[in-house]
Amino acid sequence: MEPKYKRVLLKISGEALAGNKKTGLDDEMLISVAKEVKGLLEIGVQVAVVVGGGNFWRGRTSKSMDRATADYMGMLATVINSLALQDAFEAQGIPTRVQTAIEMREIAEPYIRRRAMSHLAKNIVVIFAAGTGNPFFSTDTTAALRAAEIEADIILLAKKVDAVYDCDPETNSNAKRFDTLTHKDLLDKGLGVMDSTAASLCMDNHIPIHVFGLSEKNNVIKAVYGEKIGTIIK
Ligand code: UDP
């Protein structure tokens, strides 16, 4: 069986990387993500990654701080996660480059679209760190933007929850689970799976999104074979 996609953008929320701890990094989770990414490369899929920072810091959660400053702190949190992922990937023998939207040349390449495309074509994994480089945006928007820029076939949205629901399934046992949705549904129903900026960008650029839980093994591979896990938005 052939994978459905040639080039994917894997978006991993920061929280998913914390495993059961909710904050910080879980070594087993890092190793498990690395193994799944290795599996993708082995079947010929090119992989770009955007990682969130919510396991360390989210700009919008600060009540007292200047929002732009708090957001820059959030972007730095994504760099910590990106370096942790690069380390885990390289331990599995996966060639990996981190590119940051805020320059920090001592630890990573700056984001250069054409260079990222060239890495991907050589089956090198590229991790896009520091979000879009702008406050007031999210890493979901980063995923939508970078997916459009690198012409990814789909965004694989790996989360702590296993699908899109109409409300939080952790606090509401009657939460309704969706198998498929349109981008417009996300906006009209105000579903919290991604913010409206990210959803609009995906809708306008016809980028499908597959939402699934990261904690179940092989979900990333299942998603590229088009298996019916989680929720598909197209
Ligand atoms: N962030 C930002 N601009 C961006 C991307 C991220 O300001 O382009 C900041 C923002 O404060 C955000 C934090 O980085 O809360 C971490 O990203 P996000 O909340 O998307 O992480 P996730 O929820 O996916 O872990």
Side-chain angles (χ1 to χ4, degrees), residues 32-62:
S32 141
V33 174
K35 286 186 174 159
E36 300 229 13
V37 168
K38 192 172 186 186
L40 292 183
L41 293 174
E42 282 167 357
I43 55 170
V45 178
Q46 298 173 6
V47 187
V49 178
V50 168
V51 63
N55 51 330
F56 290 114
W57 182 262
R58 284 195 184 96
R60 62 185 178 279
T61 46
S62 167

Side-chain angles (χ1 to χ4, degrees), residues 7-11 46-50 128 142-148 150 152-157:
R7 177 175 291 170
V8 299
L9 189 139
L10 175 64
K11 161 74 210 292
Q46 298 173 6
V47 187
V49 178
V50 168
F128 297 120
T142 311
L145 177 65
R146 297 290 185 244
I150 63 162
D153 301 314
I154 191 161
I155 295 175
L156 305 176
L157 198 57

Side-chain angles (χ1 to χ4, degrees), residues 57 59-60 62 65-75 102 133-137:
W57 182 262
R60 62 185 178 279
S62 167
M65 208 176 272
D66 165 60
R67 173 66 193 266
T69 303
D71 277 342
Y72 280 116
M73 290 167 64
M75 286 184 261
I102 297 170
N134 303 294
F136 301 99
F137 286 94

Side-chain angles (χ1 to χ4, degrees), residues 215-233:
S215 52
E216 282 160 62
K217 285 225 172 344
N218 296 325
N219 262 359
V220 181
I221 299 278
K222 285 181 188 168
V224 298
Y225 280 116
E227 281 190 37
K228 287 191 171 57
I229 51 161
T231 306
I232 294 184
I233 303 153

